[in-house]
């Protein structure tokens, strides 16, 4: 029987998330770490005040479900903004920089996993956690710093797109490795290939259905319009889960297909509030599942991993700037911006949790995400000052001043 305080508890949870979001905006920080922290603070050690249980014990299943919807809307919205054609047109610089970015971060995950003496499955999850940059934080930082029109921003977003494409492939691999519960190589390989086949087939066949979907959406009321969109999202995500492909990948595929719709702007505008609301509840619900007392063992390794991530991303930023023909100082802008970790790292950790992997993965990702979701925006903001402090001004930016005598000589010459 449902508690008579259920709606009140959910209302208080949403209110607390809103309050910490307002505080984050006031401080000009990313809201993601604030949502996670408030969840951890209230999660398992909060008091009960009157009729309200601040551990949200009875309402937690509903909050968890809202968090699950948050994952679907986050990936669906990402798919709507993703364009394979745009990635191809972005050029060799982005593909090369993106490849180096993925290789350096994935290798870092292997190194940290080996040093922590993790089993293979846990190590693969850790590699995904350390490779997946946070699209949400990166986009917010670039907007807040008014750098969206800067030339390096195109490279950053191109590398993010490349990374997201890799993460989609890696999630499909983890689905076969972890979610099937099988230790057989052929079972894992078969499930992973099935996931890859599903993605490719959906991209090919799904796009051919776009004209039919557009006809279905034509001249529909806002109510019917959003019902059709949500039906497509949940059916595709639900079907992908039945064939052991993570539901998040199904949501991403649905977004990728609808990205070619002539109603893309209307779809984005309608989905955005749901993405923001349920996305916030996703981070809050993740925080609720974490016991702060269990984080101690992961602090050292997560801190080391955060440092390794920043250094690796600076290296990938250097190569991306070089191949793009940009000034060396832009490598700091690119590297620090891409170091942010958030939603996708947590999605990877949740796959590990669903597969009953070692609890250290959850503790690790909390500390790792909190560090980089706070430090990365700060480093990005001060990237120009840090470059100047370490290397001084670019030699080619300091032009010699012309004297009056030089101008007279030129005029008489």
């Amino acid at each position: 029987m449902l508690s008579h305080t259920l709606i009140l508890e959910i209302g208080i949870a949403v209110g607390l998330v809103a309050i910490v979001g307002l505080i984050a905006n006031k401080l000009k920080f990313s809201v993601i770490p604030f949502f996670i922290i408030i969840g951890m603070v209230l999660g398992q050690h909060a008091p009960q005040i009157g009729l309200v249980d601040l551990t949200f014990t009875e309402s937690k299943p509903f909050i968890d479900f809202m968090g699950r919807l948050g994952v679907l809307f986050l990936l669906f919205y990402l798919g709507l903004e993703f364009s394979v054609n745009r990635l191809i047109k972005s050029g060799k610089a982005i593909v090369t920089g993106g490849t180096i970015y993925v290789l350096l971060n994935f290798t870092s995950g292997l190194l940290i996993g080996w040093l922590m003496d993790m089993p293979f499955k846990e190590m693969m999850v850790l590699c995904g956690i350390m490779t997946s940059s946070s699209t949400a934080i990166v986009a917010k930082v670039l907007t807040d710093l008014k750098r969206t029109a800067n030339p390096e921003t195109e490279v950053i977003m191109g590398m993010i797109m490349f990374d997201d494409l890799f993460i989609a492939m890696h999630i499909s691999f983890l689905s076969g490795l972890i979610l099937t519960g099988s230790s057989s190589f052929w079972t894992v390989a078969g499930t992973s290939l099935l996931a890859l086949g599903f993605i490719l087939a959906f991209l090919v066949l799904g796009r051919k259905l776009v004209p039919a979907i557009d006809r279905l959406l034509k001249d529909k009321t806002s109510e019917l319009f959003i019902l059709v969109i949500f039906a497509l999202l949940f059916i595709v995500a639900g079907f992908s889960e039945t064939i052991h492909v993570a539901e998040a990948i199904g949501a991403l595929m649905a977004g990728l297909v609808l990205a070619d719709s002539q109603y893309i702007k209307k779809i984005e505008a309608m989905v955005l509030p749901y993405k923001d609301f349920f996305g916030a509840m996703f981070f809050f619900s993740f925080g609720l599942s974490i016991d702060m007392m269990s984080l101690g063992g992961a602090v050292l390794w997560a801190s080391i991993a955060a440092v390794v991530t920043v250094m690796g991303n600076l290296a990938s930023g250097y190569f991306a700037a070089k191949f793009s023909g940009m000034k060396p100082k832009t490598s700091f802008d690119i590297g620090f911006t891409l170091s942010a970790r958030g939603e996708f790292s947590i999605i990877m950790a949740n796959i590990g949790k669903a597969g009953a992997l070692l609890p250290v993965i959850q503790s690790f990702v909390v500390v790792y995400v909190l560090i980089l979701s706070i430090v990365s925006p700060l480093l990005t903001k001060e990237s120009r000052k840090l470059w100047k402090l370490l290397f001084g001004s670019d030699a080619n930016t300091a032009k010699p001043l012309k004297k009056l005598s030089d101008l007279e000589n030129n005029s008489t010459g």
Side-chain angles (χ1 to χ4, degrees):
M1 182 176 177
L2 296 179
S3 168
H4 63 284
T5 62
L6 176 63
I7 300 299
L8 177 61
E9 282 190 16
I10 293 177
I12 291 172
V14 175
L16 289 170
V17 170
I19 289 171
V20 297
L22 291 170
I23 294 172
N25 280 337
K26 188 73 174 176
L27 298 175
K28 296 185 178 180
F29 272 111
S30 166
V31 295
I32 290 176
F34 283 76
F35 293 157
I36 297 173
I37 290 171
I38 189 64
M40 286 195 303
V41 169
L42 299 175
Q44 302 184 28
H45 302 285
Q48 181 168 342
I49 303 175
L51 296 174
V52 180
D53 181 8
L54 289 180
T55 62
F56 302 102
T57 303
E58 293 198 25
S59 57
K60 192 173 185 303
F62 295 90
I63 294 173
D64 287 344
F65 181 69
M66 287 193 286
R68 190 173 176 184
L69 292 179
V71 174
L72 297 186
F73 282 114
L74 283 168
L75 271 293
F76 180 62
Y77 194 82
L78 174 65
L80 292 175
E81 294 192 316
F82 190 95
S83 171
V84 177
N85 291 331
R86 206 172 126 209
L87 179 62
I88 294 172
K89 292 177 181 178
S90 295
K92 178 182 175 183
I94 289 174
V95 174
T96 305
T99 302
I100 293 172
Y101 170 86
V102 168
L103 287 175
L104 285 174
N105 284 281
F106 197 86
T107 303
S108 298
L110 290 174
L111 174 63
I112 297 297
W114 176 72
L115 291 173
M116 294 178 69
D117 197 25
M118 284 188 171
F120 179 72
K121 290 182 180 180
E122 281 80 355
M123 190 181 294
M124 288 298 98
V125 172
L126 188 68
C127 288
I129 289 170
M130 293 186 64
T131 304
S132 49
S133 187
S134 170
T135 306
I137 296 178
V138 168
K140 180 171 175 55
V141 168
L142 291 173
T143 302
D144 290 348
L145 296 179
K146 296 180 174 58
R147 295 186 184 180
T148 52
N150 289 10
E152 71 272 7
T153 296
E154 183 179 347
V155 176
I156 291 170
M157 296 312 296
M159 290 172 70
I160 283 278
M161 289 166 59
F162 189 92
D163 178 50
D164 290 340
L165 186 62
F166 169 78
I167 291 303
M169 299 296 105
H170 191 61
I171 289 177
S172 69
F173 167 70
L174 291 179
S175 299
L177 179 66
I178 296 171
L179 299 183
T180 59
S182 174
S183 58
S184 166
F185 169 79
W186 295 111
T187 301
V188 172
T191 306
S192 299
L193 288 174
L194 176 64
L196 182 60
F198 168 74
I199 291 171
L200 295 176
F202 199 87
L203 285 177
V204 174
L205 298 177
R207 292 189 174 192
K208 293 183 178 181
L209 295 175
V210 171
I213 295 172
D214 282 348
R215 287 194 296 271
L216 189 62
L217 295 174
K218 186 178 180 181
D219 299 327
K220 294 295 184 293
T221 63
S222 59
E223 179 184 37
L224 292 176
F225 190 95
I226 203 162
L227 282 172
V228 171
I229 297 301
F230 280 17
L232 290 171
L233 166 60
F234 293 131
I235 288 171
V236 173
F239 174 75
S240 66
E241 189 180 26
T242 64
I243 60 172
H244 300 294
V245 178
E247 60 188 25
I249 292 299
L252 178 65
M253 293 301 104
L256 283 171
V257 169
L258 290 174
D260 288 335
S261 169
Q262 65 181 9
Y263 299 105
I264 178 61
K265 295 299 181 184
K266 186 176 180 180
I267 295 172
E268 285 183 338
M270 287 189 135
V271 170
L272 182 60
Y274 294 92
K275 187 264 292 185
D276 289 340
F277 173 74
F278 288 108
M281 298 310 294
F282 162 63
F283 295 112
F284 177 70
S285 67
F286 176 73
L288 283 178
S289 67
I290 301 299
D291 183 356
M292 287 193 299
M293 304 303 176
S294 68
L295 299 180
V299 171
L300 177 61
W301 285 114
S303 301
I304 294 172
V307 173
V308 171
T309 296
V310 172
M311 298 305 293
N313 286 350
L314 285 177
S316 63
Y318 166 78
F319 286 108
K322 183 176 181 180
F323 290 125
S324 302
M326 295 183 179
K327 295 176 181 179
K329 67 179 181 181
T330 58
S331 62
F332 271 33
D333 297 331
I334 297 170
F336 287 143
T337 305
L338 290 172
S339 295
R341 295 294 183 267
E343 62 275 19
F344 297 113
S345 296
I346 295 174
I347 290 170
M348 295 283 180
N350 284 345
I351 291 175
K353 183 179 180 180
L357 300 189
L358 295 176
V360 69
I361 291 291
Q362 296 292 305
S363 300
F364 176 93
V365 78
V366 171
V367 182
Y368 180 71
V369 166
L370 286 178
I371 291 173
L372 289 179
S373 61
I374 293 172
V375 171
S376 174
L378 292 175
L379 290 175
T380 304
K381 183 179 179 180
E382 304 298 332
S383 60
R384 314 285 170 82
K385 293 181 181 178
L386 288 171
W387 175 271
K388 188 174 182 180
L389 179 66
L390 293 173
F391 303 105
S393 301
D394 289 342
N396 56 1
T397 61
K399 296 182 179 180
L401 296 173
K402 289 188 176 182
K403 299 177 182 179
L404 181 60
S405 57
D406 296 329
L407 296 174
E408 292 175 346
N409 291 335
N410 289 334
S411 62
T412 56

